[in-house]
């Protein structure tokens, strides 16, 4: 197995060609404080730009597609791109922006820019001095002294150097493994072989690969095989032909793995891709997936979970955003067969423009419940039977979970809480519908007055008069410390649910997903499965 593929040499040649043909000249730079879960920087970036943040990580969303935005790294933005920042929590970050131009006698800058944008990791992890360079550039830029400004230009060139320079040994070894999987996913690939070629122990390689790329090597291998299988199925390949092409010798095993990853079997996937359905908003995705349909156009930059992005970024050919003009132009180019949207989220004048693109369904988001949303979507897409079968299975599963509820919980008045750096969030009746309506657990006092969620103080917990609490706690350090303080507080220990031992901890990060935007059949099925694990452990 040749892992090298002359990767280091190819990387050096690409950088050398880039630097030989063009020069980078900084035009302006800024340092600003940004906060809030969503920040729009530019509807159309006016020039080339490098971005860096000092603070907790988030996502850089370019033309509707999210990319990691992490400290001590820089990200490249092309002119004309829509630029947004998304953060899980609204605490402040320092944002550095350095705009620049490309110059060079006779240089084909268009080709160079395309090459830069094609590099998946142009925002290569810089060393710990990256932010030091950003600070140096800013400190000398606005002094009014030409000599000082020269230092800023020099700092910018140094920052580019640490982005372009050859990677450290471990970084290069991991990159080789990454590239090998991308080009050889159709062959038999094992962790042992990858680790051996990378010169690392099995455990160290597995841990390092996941830290570097955000998923395990085997997850990445499965993703590459699945995406290629999708491409071949869309091109008309049979499941048997596709299975062999992507490294599965057993077509039945391929079909089971494909369904596990995508949610639908290969043959149904091929049929569904013939209908181009657009999900205008995040909740519309959940109902389409329930009906075993993957949207052709949809927003993919949700801030609370990357599940949709990881599983369906190949399928969503047209990413949508938070801007009416951006979305309308994208849909006009995509020419979808049908559009599903939320009635209250779109102004009337925009609705008329969307109606001219394709037949469209506007769901009454606040007025109707999620079952009505699913049935309306199913009827619009000629999937009524599929929708009713799904609801029947869901009700059977909910009844099975209810039968296994602890007796103390079945007769209690429940409150659902999520703890994050923002504070204590109380789930209202609509947000907690799986427990309050489908499992028929009584709601604590005041829960029915909260339609989705609201933040409360610790002192307000006593007014809920809850017999039981279901609590999810964010894993990051600040929230864990706050949770420990709350557990030690007099307010907490005076609660009836705490005194009687009826406090249940919800598993995993999925419980922190935004109930308002995930009020869908798909998410409720996931919550029901997670509740099985909670109550099975009791």
């Amino acid at each position: 197995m040749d892992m090298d593929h002359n990767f280091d040499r190819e990387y050096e040649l690409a950088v050398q060609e880039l630097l030989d043909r063009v020069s980078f000249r900084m035009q302006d730079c800024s340092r600003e404080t940004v906060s809030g879960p969503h920040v729009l920087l530019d509807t159309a970036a006016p020039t080339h730009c490098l971005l860096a943040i000092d603070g907790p990580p988030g996502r850089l969303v370019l033309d509707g597609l999210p990319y990691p935005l992490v400290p001590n790294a820089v990200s490249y933005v092309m002119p004309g791109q829509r630029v947004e920042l998304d953060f899980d929590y609204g605490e402040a970050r320092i944002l550095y922006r350095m705009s620049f131009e490309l110059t060079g006698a006779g240089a084909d800058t268009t080709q160079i820019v395309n090459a830069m944008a094609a590099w998946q990791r142009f925002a290569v992890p810089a060393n710990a001095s990256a932010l030091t360079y950003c600070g140096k550039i800013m400190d000398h830029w606005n002094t009014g002294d030409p000599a000082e400004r020269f230092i800023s230009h020099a700092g910018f060139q140094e920052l580019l150097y640490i982005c372009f320079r050859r990677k450290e040994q471990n970084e290069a070894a991991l990159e080789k493994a990454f590239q090998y999987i991308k080009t050889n996913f159709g062959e038999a690939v094992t962790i042992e072989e990858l680790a051996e070629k990378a010169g690392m122990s099995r455990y160290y390689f597995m841990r390092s690969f996941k830290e570097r790329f955000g998923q395990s090597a085997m997850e990445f291998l499965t993703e590459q095989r699945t995406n290629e299988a999708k491409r071949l199925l869309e091109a008309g390949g049979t499941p048997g032909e596709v299975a062999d092409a992507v490294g599965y010798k057993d077509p039945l095993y391929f079909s089971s793995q494909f369904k596990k990853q995508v949610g639908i079997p290969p043959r149904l996937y091929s049929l569904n891709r013939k209908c181009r359905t657009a999900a205008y908003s995040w909740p519309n995705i959940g109902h389409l997936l329930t009906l075993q349909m993957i949207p052709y156009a949809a927003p993919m930059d949700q801030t609370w979970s990357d599940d949709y992005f990881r599983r369906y970024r190949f399928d969503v050919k047209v990413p949508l955003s938070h801007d009416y003009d951006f979305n309308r132009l994208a849909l006009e180019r995509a020419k979808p067969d049908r559009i599903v949207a939320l009635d209250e989220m779109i102004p009337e004048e925009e609705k008329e423009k969307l109606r001219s693109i394709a037949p469209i369904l506007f769901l009454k988001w606040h007025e109707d419940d999620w079952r009505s949303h699913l049935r309306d979507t199913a009827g619009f897409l000629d999937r009524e039977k599929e929708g009713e079968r799904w609801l029947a299975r869901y009700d059977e599963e909910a009844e099975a979970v209810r039968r296994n509820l602890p007796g103390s919980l079945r007769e209690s008045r429940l409150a659902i809480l999520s703890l994050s750096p923002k504070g204590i969030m109380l789930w209202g009746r609509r947000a907690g519908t799986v427990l309050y309506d489908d499992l028929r657990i009584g709601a604590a006092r005041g829960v029915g007055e909260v339609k989705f969620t609201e933040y409360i103080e610790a002192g307000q917990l006593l007014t809920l008069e809850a017999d039981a609490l279901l609590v999810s706690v964010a894993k990051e350090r600040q929230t864990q410390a706050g949770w420990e303080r709350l557990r030690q507080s007099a307010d907490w220990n005076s609660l009836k649910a705490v005194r009687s031992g009826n406090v249940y901890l919800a598993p995993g990060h999925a419980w922190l997903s935004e109930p308002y935007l995930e009020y869908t059949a798909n998410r409720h099925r996931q919550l029901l499965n997670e509740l099985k694990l909670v109550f099975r452990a009791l």
Side-chain angles (χ1 to χ4, degrees):
M1 185 189 299
D2 182 9
M3 285 267 313
D4 199 332
H5 282 287
N6 295 317
F7 177 78
D8 290 335
R9 182 57 180 161
E10 290 176 7
Y11 180 82
E12 291 171 358
L13 289 174
V15 172
Q16 181 179 332
E17 179 183 6
L18 178 65
L19 301 181
D20 282 347
R21 295 177 62 183
V22 298
S23 297
F24 297 75
R25 178 173 175 78
M26 190 171 71
Q27 297 174 308
D28 198 5
C29 62
S30 65
R31 177 172 51 200
E32 58 188 294
T33 301
V34 295
S35 61
H38 180 76
V39 180
L40 174 64
L41 294 183
D42 294 295
T43 55
T47 184
H48 303 277
C49 184
L50 293 183
L51 300 178
I53 62 163
D54 186 358
R59 282 158 293 280
L60 171 67
V61 184
L62 301 176
D63 289 337
L65 290 177
Y67 302 91
L69 185 65
V70 297
N72 293 331
V74 294
S75 301
Y76 169 60
V77 174
M78 292 174 59
Q81 287 187 305
R82 179 181 174 84
V83 187
E84 303 163 88
L85 305 179
D86 278 333
F87 302 108
D88 290 333
Y89 308 113
E91 56 192 286
R93 283 93 165 161
I94 301 298
L95 173 69
Y96 292 93
R97 283 202 272 185
M98 292 147 283
S99 60
F100 62 94
E101 61 180 347
L102 297 175
T103 61
D108 182 1
T109 56
T110 301
Q111 182 178 353
I112 297 298
V113 168
N114 289 339
M116 291 166 64
W119 288 353
Q120 283 191 313
R121 269 161 299 283
F122 182 84
V124 294
N127 64 16
S129 63
L131 291 175
T132 301
Y133 282 113
C134 292
K136 175 182 175 181
I137 293 167
M138 272 303 309
D139 291 342
H140 295 280
W141 184 255
N142 295 316
T143 63
D145 185 334
E148 291 282 305
R149 181 157 286 199
F150 178 80
I151 296 176
S152 291
H153 283 292
F156 179 69
Q157 298 298 322
E158 288 185 88
L159 179 61
L160 288 173
Y161 165 72
I162 65 173
C163 291
F164 286 132
R165 72 179 181 179
R166 186 173 179 173
K167 298 178 175 69
E168 300 294 336
Q169 182 176 357
N170 277 1
E171 176 73 13
L174 291 172
E175 187 69 34
K176 289 176 186 176
F178 183 90
Q179 294 296 330
Y180 181 84
I181 293 172
K182 285 187 68 174
T183 56
N184 296 275
F185 56 80
E187 301 178 10
V189 179
T190 67
I191 285 291
E192 288 73 17
E193 290 173 310
L194 292 172
E196 180 182 353
K197 295 298 182 180
M200 302 178 185
S201 69
R202 184 180 188 276
Y203 174 77
Y204 184 70
F205 171 77
M206 291 170 62
R207 186 183 68 182
S208 299
F209 192 99
K210 187 162 188 175
E211 288 176 353
R212 174 66 180 86
F213 300 110
Q215 59 188 139
S216 72
M218 290 297 101
E219 288 172 339
F220 181 61
L221 173 64
T222 300
E223 179 183 285
Q224 294 301 301
R225 286 175 168 172
T226 303
N227 286 345
E228 177 64 9
K230 290 175 177 178
R231 188 188 69 79
L232 294 173
L233 288 168
E234 286 185 359
T238 67
E241 294 169 342
V242 173
D244 186 64
V246 298
Y248 293 96
K249 302 309 178 187
D250 183 351
L252 292 178
Y253 180 68
F254 160 70
S255 293
S256 67
Q257 289 298 103
F258 187 91
K259 185 175 181 180
K260 180 180 178 181
Q261 296 300 317
V262 184
I264 57 179
R267 291 191 185 279
L268 185 55
Y269 178 87
S270 299
L271 291 173
N272 284 348
R273 298 309 286 173
K274 295 177 182 178
C275 177
R276 296 185 173 188
T277 303
Y280 195 91
S281 299
W282 287 317
N284 300 127
I285 301 175
H287 289 309
L288 290 177
L289 293 177
T290 299
L291 298 171
Q292 296 191 313
M293 299 184 71
I294 303 172
Y296 181 80
M300 297 298 288
D301 59 333
Q302 71 230 47
T303 59
W304 65 90
S305 168
D306 64 355
D307 183 56
Y308 289 157
F309 181 70
R310 280 198 184 280
R311 297 185 70 176
Y312 303 115
R313 57 185 168 182
F314 177 90
D315 307 277
V316 176
K317 308 300 184 184
V318 182
L320 303 180
S321 186
H322 313 279
D323 180 84
Y324 297 132
D325 291 336
F326 179 92
N327 288 348
R328 187 176 64 257
L329 291 173
L331 291 172
E332 286 175 349
R333 290 192 295 268
K335 295 180 172 33
D337 298 310
R338 299 178 191 182
I339 305 172
V340 184
L342 305 184
D343 185 72
E344 297 92 333
M345 308 303 181
I346 305 174
E348 287 301 324
E349 59 272 19
E350 191 63 28
K351 291 179 184 176
E352 288 303 315
K353 296 174 183 177
L354 292 173
R355 288 187 180 102
S356 69
I357 298 174
I360 185 167
L361 169 69
F362 292 104
L363 295 175
K364 300 290 186 182
W365 192 244
H366 296 299
E367 182 178 327
D368 297 333
D369 64 18
W370 68 271
R371 292 171 184 263
S372 297
H373 297 158
L374 177 61
R375 287 189 168 107
D376 289 346
T377 304
F380 179 67
L381 299 173
D382 301 320
R383 296 293 180 96
E384 293 95 337
K385 291 182 180 179
E386 289 84 348
E388 292 303 324
R389 280 198 296 265
W390 188 94
L391 286 169
R393 288 195 303 270
Y394 176 85
D395 288 338
E396 290 175 0
E397 293 172 5
E399 184 57 35
V401 173
R402 175 171 166 74
R403 287 196 296 269
N404 289 323
L405 288 177
S408 58
L409 184 59
R410 193 178 306 175
E411 305 301 327
S412 70
R413 293 176 297 172
L414 174 71
I416 308 169
L417 307 173
S418 286
L419 276 63
S420 73
K422 293 182 181 180
I424 303 172
M425 183 173 72
L426 173 66
W427 290 35
R429 180 92 192 192
R430 196 169 169 97
T433 184
V434 174
L435 291 109
Y436 298 130
D437 298 314
D438 302 331
L439 299 183
R440 304 195 296 281
I441 300 173
R445 181 180 180 184
V447 167
E449 300 168 12
V450 179
K451 192 164 188 179
F452 276 100
T453 62
E454 70 176 31
Y455 284 95
I456 62 174
E457 300 296 329
Q460 296 176 260
L461 292 172
L462 190 61
T463 65
L464 299 175
E465 299 180 3
D467 302 313
L469 294 171
L470 180 61
V471 184
S472 67
V473 184
K475 300 301 182 184
E476 49 77 44
R477 186 180 305 174
Q478 178 183 345
T479 304
Q480 289 291 322
W483 168 234
E484 188 59 33
R485 288 193 300 271
L486 178 62
R487 292 175 62 192
Q488 301 301 321
S489 69
D491 285 336
W492 179 260
N493 285 285
S494 66
L495 299 177
K496 180 179 179 180
V498 175
R499 296 198 313 269
S500 60
N502 289 330
V503 177
Y504 307 94
L505 287 179
H509 178 77
W511 274 83
L512 300 175
S513 63
E514 174 56 59
Y516 178 73
L517 292 171
E518 281 291 357
Y519 180 72
T520 70
N522 186 62
R523 179 60 185 133
H524 293 158
R525 177 77 170 275
Q526 293 175 14
L527 282 173
L528 194 63
N529 288 332
E530 290 167 6
L531 287 168
K532 290 180 186 178
L533 300 177
V534 173
F535 302 136
R536 188 178 297 164
L538 298 178

